[in-house]
């Protein structure tokens, strides 16, 4: 049976390739990606202490400030020539990934003998990446090392910010186990008018966005705010649909991601890659979309999640 471990193995292989390709030119970068590959391959066997040491190693390499910017790969003039030749048709390659993820999610759940149905979406997403990679290589007549070299160059540009989602999601789990959600819930519930469903929904949606802005990632905010408001109030007290509450609640958190410099890998990295004069320029452009979208998500929870 194909399980999530296959996806981890694939991700580890990609990071290991980045480490090998950059070993001579950028040894610090190579060490960083090698540790990340090790976490993907052997995380289950390292144990808590081993994983803790590995994370400290990643933090140490990232904090020295010497992870160099990626270079090399396909020359810029060649990339420009291909962009002019193929135009917007290049987006077909990118669209293969979500299309495969959607189709696979629906199909793989009907194949419990071969595919782990609980992880169907992530497995389908990984399959979509492989199909898009193969299609891109065949269509653009690129060698097998080209996507790896280009991927290494991009990841070297992003640097330590590439692992922020995993780090912050782990931090959210630690906060949840430490009981931060209970403390936050006690404070928020005192501010919500007694018996107000709308007030509870607003507190949950707005709390997801604000806590995401503080933490930098909706995955870190989710366990805290769901434990504080989502489960005790929206689900248990008002009998809301947990699937709708959690799904749209995450979308509310993503609205916060668009508005915070703490989400460096989503916001500050793009400004650096594009060499924008204003490092917060990306965030300023996104606020106009994030705020009305947050309001819509809160209203959707209120309209759809409760009978």
């Amino acid at each position: 049976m194909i399980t999530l471990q296959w996806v981890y193995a694939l991700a580890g292989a990609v990071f290991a390739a980045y480490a090998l390709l950059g070993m001579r030119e950028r040894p610090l970068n190579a060490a960083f990606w090698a540790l990340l590959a090790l976490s993907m391959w052997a995380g289950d066997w390292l144990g808590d202490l081993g994983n803790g040491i590995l994370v400290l190693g990643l933090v140490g390499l990232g904090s020295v400030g010497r992870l160099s910017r990626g270079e090399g790969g396909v020359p810029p003039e060649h990339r420009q020539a291909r962009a002019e030749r193929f135009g917007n048709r290049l987006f077909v390659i990118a669209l293969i990934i979500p299309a495969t993820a959607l189709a696979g999610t629906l199909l793989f759940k009907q194949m419990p003998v071969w595919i782990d149905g609980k992880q169907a979406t992530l497995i389908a997403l990984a399959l979509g990446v492989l199909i898009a990679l193969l299609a891109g290589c065949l269509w653009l007549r690129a060698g097998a090392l080209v996507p790896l070299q280009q991927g290494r160059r991009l990841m070297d540009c992003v640097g330590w910010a590439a692992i922020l989602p995993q780090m912050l999601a782990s931090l959210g789990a630690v906060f949840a186990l430490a009981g931060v959600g209970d403390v936050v819930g006690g404070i928020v519930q005192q501010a919500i008018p007694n018996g107000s469903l709308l007030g509870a929904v607003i507190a949950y949606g707005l709390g997801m966005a604000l806590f995401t802005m503080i933490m930098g990632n909706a995955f870190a905010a989710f366990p805290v705010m769901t434990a504080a408001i989502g489960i005790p109030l929206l689900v248990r007290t008002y009998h809301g649909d947990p699937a709708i509450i959690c799904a749209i609640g995450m979308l509310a958190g993503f609205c916060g991601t668009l508005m915070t410099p703490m989400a460096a890998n989503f916001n500050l990295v793009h400004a650096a890659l594009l060499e924008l004069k204003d490092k917060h320029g990306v965030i300023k452009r996104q606020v106009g979309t994030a705020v009305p979208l947050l309001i819509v998500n809160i209203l959707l929870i209120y309209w759809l999640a409760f009978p």
Side-chain angles (χ1 to χ4, degrees):
M1 175 183 288
I2 298 177
T3 66
L4 191 59
Q5 294 302 321
W6 290 57
V7 179
Y8 283 131
L10 175 62
V14 172
F15 287 118
Y18 293 163
L20 291 173
L21 291 173
M23 187 177 298
R24 291 184 178 181
E25 299 175 2
R26 299 174 183 83
L28 283 180
N29 293 38
F32 188 87
W33 302 127
L35 284 178
L36 196 56
L38 179 61
S39 73
M40 297 290 178
W41 281 341
D44 289 343
W45 293 279
L46 290 176
D48 294 339
L49 178 60
N51 280 298
I53 294 173
L54 189 149
V55 169
L56 290 176
L58 289 170
V59 172
L61 289 171
S63 62
V64 297
R66 295 186 178 180
L67 294 183
S68 55
R69 186 184 179 95
E71 296 177 359
V74 179
E77 58 272 15
H78 289 180
R79 296 201 300 269
Q80 181 64 33
R82 287 183 174 180
E84 294 176 354
R85 176 183 176 186
F86 294 101
N88 291 334
R89 289 178 294 167
L90 288 171
F91 285 105
V92 173
I93 299 175
L95 292 175
I96 289 174
I97 299 175
T100 304
L102 177 60
T105 299
L106 300 175
L107 179 63
F108 291 166
K109 290 183 178 181
Q110 311 302 320
M111 305 167 60
V113 177
W114 297 288
I115 306 291
D116 182 2
K118 295 180 179 179
Q119 305 296 340
T121 300
L122 290 176
I123 294 172
L125 179 64
L127 178 61
V129 171
L130 292 176
I131 294 175
L133 179 64
L134 178 61
C137 288
L138 292 175
W139 186 22
L140 303 177
R141 298 180 181 178
L145 285 180
V146 172
L148 291 175
Q149 288 284 14
Q150 288 297 99
R152 179 182 68 90
R153 181 183 66 83
L154 179 61
M155 293 302 291
D156 283 348
C157 289
V158 175
W160 59 266
I163 65 172
L164 268 180
Q166 296 94 316
M167 290 287 193
L168 293 172
S170 301
L171 182 60
V174 171
F175 276 15
L177 291 174
V180 175
D182 296 334
V183 175
V184 173
I187 296 173
V188 172
Q189 289 180 34
Q190 292 180 5
I192 299 174
N194 187 29
S196 174
L197 170 60
L198 179 60
V201 172
I202 292 175
Y204 179 63
L206 190 60
M208 275 294 300
L210 292 177
F211 211 79
T212 296
M213 294 175 70
I214 295 172
M215 299 291 291
N217 192 289
F219 290 100
F222 180 76
V224 175
M225 296 309 301
T226 301
I229 304 173
I231 299 299
L233 282 182
L234 300 185
V235 175
R236 292 177 181 169
T237 301
Y238 296 110
H239 309 291
D241 187 326
I244 295 175
I245 292 170
C246 292
I248 303 180
M250 281 295 292
L251 294 178
F254 295 152
C255 294
T257 303
L258 298 175
M259 299 186 286
T260 176
M262 291 297 293
N265 56 322
F266 290 103
N267 299 324
L268 301 187
V269 167
H270 304 81
L273 292 177
L274 296 174
E275 299 181 350
L276 300 180
K277 294 181 180 180
D278 184 359
K279 67 178 183 178
H280 298 301
V282 175
I283 298 174
K284 292 176 181 178
R285 290 287 184 179
Q286 293 174 164
V287 168
T289 299
V291 172
L293 189 58
L294 174 60
I295 296 173
V296 170
N297 285 326
I298 291 173
L299 292 175
L300 285 176
I301 295 176
Y302 183 73
W303 288 332
L304 301 178
F306 301 93

